[in-house]
Amino acid sequence: MLNFYFLESGIGWTVLGAMTALVLGGIGSALGIATAAGQGAGVLSEKPNLFGKVFLLILLPGTQGLYGMVFAFLVTSFTGIQSSLVAAQQMPVGIGVALGIVGFCLGLVLLLSAKYKGKT
């Protein structure tokens, strides 16, 4: 099974990259929201009338998780993994590895940018 998904076709690499982007984006969003919420609680204890503005700033790091989900959905739908396994079986290994690398790099960027967006 591993031989088919990773050596004979690019399905395994594509799914691995999509999952990595989704998971790292979600982790980054959670870390960013936690940081922003901690700072926001301090601001709201002093000025409760700023709730709307502070709430928006707390939610901003959560967009990184959404970007990871959109990437995972687009990659799996455009490669044919969601609709037809027959179409995805014909995916070359090189394309699968490339999509896996892109998913990993995107996940790393989403993780770090959400973390620093929460600090900002």
Side-chain angles (χ1 to χ4, degrees), residues 40-91:
V43 170
L44 290 176
S45 68
E46 296 290 326
K47 297 182 180 181
N49 59 339
L50 294 177
F51 175 77
K53 293 178 183 178
V54 171
F55 185 68
L56 180 65
L57 291 174
I58 291 171
L59 289 180
L60 281 177
T63 58
Q64 307 307 93
L66 181 65
Y67 299 149
M69 185 175 66
V70 167
F71 173 79
F73 176 74
L74 288 176
V75 164
T76 55
S77 63
F78 284 141
T79 56
I81 293 173
Q82 285 183 357
S83 60
S84 167
L85 192 59
V86 175
Q89 287 176 353
Q90 299 171 355
M91 181 191 316

